[in-house]
Amino acid sequence: MKRFYVFIISIILIILLILWIGPQNIIDAFKTASWKWLIVALLIHLLAVGVRSFRWGFIINEPSEFKNNYIVKTIGLFAGNFSPMRTAGEVLNAVAGKKINKISLHEGLSAGLTERFFDLLIVGLLLILASIWIGKVRYISILGAFLSLVIVALIYFVNWKEDSSLWIYEKIHPFLSKLPINENTIDNMYLKFTEGLKGMIKYTNTFTTKGNITFVLILAVLSWLLECIRLYAVFIAFNVQMDFASIVVILLLANVIGVITLLPGGMGSVEISLTGLFVLFGVPSALAGSIALADRLVSFWAVSVLGIIFSSYYAKDILAEIKNFTMDIKVLENEEK
């Protein structure tokens, strides 16, 4: 039951945000918004998913299978949207990759962790720069950078170093039991992770060349840049001026807050943090909340709808697992048998 409590918390937070802004204020803001620019924002976000899909295909050595890669990546993003810290995203990415890309599970897990490594590395480095140049978010940027880089270090030791990976997992396993995951799934995670670490790390080290890493890093920067441009387009839709550097920092901080709150996909916490940061940067509260809700509609919810459609059509068993478990990865029990 505890997995349902986090959803209730998320819903309550979103309702409180709407009540604080005022439902009529939100309606009025959306009435004056340019739907053309909101559609542009949606298309930009889908393009960002496309870049992430190409990156996924490059890592698993199937860059030409763009359709399958896009489906797999969208399913993974959808699963991440409904799990604490987005932790189910990499696992369901791997499972979908096994079914659709026909790769091994440890290849999929390696690819997912490699992607997460570079995404968080960029977040950490940019937040360090933000702490230097933007005084009003200096301390929260330092905290966000620290947390991001700590996770980057953990992923490095888990995904690249065999001895340390097992030791680290032994240490974090008790923490996982505190998350909204049932005990059987926790035990299954332990078994599969410890069994699959060698294969995963072997694949990661085989992939790791200077050229490959550089290209993956470029794609990570491009995907984050598109995410920021999407939010900039939403600001244009509401006819609000905001400099691009501030938008980059706000989006990065909101994503970090969404992760550390442990709410599924940051639901509620991301909307509130976006609104608060917009207000901090001088946007009126009614517009700030409306922009935050609109951005989540064209990003979080659009990908979730696509994930449901792709899961229903291409991998119904994956959809069943996502429906039944917020973060449960019982689906792994039948994998690689």
Side-chain angles (χ1 to χ4, degrees):
M1 285 298 293
K2 59 182 177 181
R3 61 182 176 270
F4 296 110
Y5 296 151
V6 292
F7 276 114
I8 292 172
I9 292 171
S10 295
I11 293 169
I12 290 173
L13 288 175
I14 293 173
I15 291 173
L16 288 175
L17 176 64
I18 292 172
L19 292 176
W20 177 65
I21 300 168
Q24 189 59 50
N25 289 332
I26 296 174
I27 293 170
D28 292 341
F30 271 87
K31 282 181 179 179
T32 60
S34 169
W35 289 94
K36 177 180 70 176
W37 276 104
L38 288 177
I39 292 172
V40 169
L42 173 62
L43 293 176
I44 292 171
H45 187 68
L46 295 179
L47 179 59
V49 176
V51 172
R52 293 178 183 272
S53 304
F54 181 74
R55 181 180 63 178
W56 164 266
F58 178 76
I59 295 174
I60 65 171
N61 199 29
E62 292 187 14
S64 62
E65 298 293 326
F66 184 76
K67 176 186 174 182
N68 286 341
N69 296 336
Y70 201 97
I71 292 167
V72 169
K73 196 71 221 171
T74 304
I75 290 173
L77 291 171
F78 164 50
N81 283 349
F82 293 92
S83 62
M85 299 179 68
R86 300 180 182 271
T87 41
E90 282 74 23
V91 178
L92 267 299
N93 240 161
V95 174
K98 186 176 188 298
K99 294 179 181 294
I100 297 172
N101 291 129
K102 308 302 180 185
I103 61 174
S104 66
L105 197 62
H106 62 255
E107 286 178 294
L109 288 171
S110 168
L113 287 175
T114 301
E115 288 183 304
R116 181 72 74 104
F117 175 87
F118 285 103
D119 285 340
L120 288 173
L121 178 63
I122 292 168
V123 171
L125 295 177
L126 288 177
L127 287 179
I128 289 174
L129 293 176
S131 69
I132 297 171
W133 297 107
I134 305 178
K136 63 178 67 178
V137 292
R138 175 163 296 134
Y139 297 111
I140 190 173
S141 294
I142 292 172
L143 178 60
F146 173 76
L147 292 173
S148 298
L149 294 178
V150 165
I151 298 174
V152 165
L154 287 173
I155 293 174
Y156 173 75
F157 287 115
V158 168
N159 201 34
W160 273 272
K161 302 294 183 180
E162 184 177 319
D163 293 337
S164 60
S165 63
L166 186 57
W167 182 84
I168 290 172
Y169 191 76
E170 292 280 358
K171 296 300 181 183
I172 67 172
H173 184 76
F175 170 75
L176 294 177
S177 63
K178 306 296 182 182
L179 296 177
I181 314 171
N182 73 34
E183 292 183 9
N184 290 335
T185 298
I186 290 289
D187 293 339
N188 191 48
M189 283 177 63
Y190 180 82
L191 178 64
K192 290 299 180 181
F193 269 77
T194 52
E195 285 181 350
L197 278 174
K198 288 185 178 181
M200 185 181 74
I201 293 168
K202 181 180 179 181
Y203 184 81
T204 305
N205 287 323
T206 301
F207 171 81
T208 303
T209 65
K210 185 177 180 180
N212 286 348
I213 292 302
T214 300
F215 191 57
V216 170
L217 180 60
I218 291 171
L219 292 176
V221 171
L222 179 58
S223 64
W224 269 116
L225 180 61
L226 287 169
E227 297 268 4
C228 296
I229 294 173
R230 177 205 75 223
L231 181 54
Y232 189 71
V234 176
F235 268 90
I236 294 175
F238 285 87
N239 196 28
V240 176
Q241 299 296 318
M242 173 74 73
D243 66 276
F244 191 71
S246 297
I247 285 176
V248 172
V249 173
I250 289 170
L251 187 61
L252 295 176
L253 287 174
N255 274 275
V256 171
I257 293 170
V259 169
I260 63 178
T261 56
L262 302 182
L263 295 175
M267 276 194 294
S269 59
V270 170
E271 288 83 353
I272 288 175
S273 59
L274 282 173
T275 302
L277 289 166
F278 293 157
V279 171
L280 182 64
F281 279 80
V283 180
S285 59
L287 275 174
S290 300
I291 291 170
L293 292 171
D295 184 66
R296 292 287 275 175
L297 281 174
V298 300
S299 56
F300 181 94
W301 293 107
V303 167
S304 296
V305 170
L306 276 179
I308 292 171
I309 294 171
F310 289 157
S311 298
S312 300
Y313 190 79
Y314 293 99
K316 293 181 180 178
D317 51 341
I318 293 178
L319 179 61
E321 293 298 334
I322 297 172
K323 282 181 179 178
N324 290 329
F325 301 100
T326 300
M327 167 59 192
D328 291 356
I329 336 174
K330 277 170 48 175
V331 68
L332 292 180
E333 290 177 359
N334 297 319
E335 295 299 321
E336 296 188 331
K337 284 188 177 180

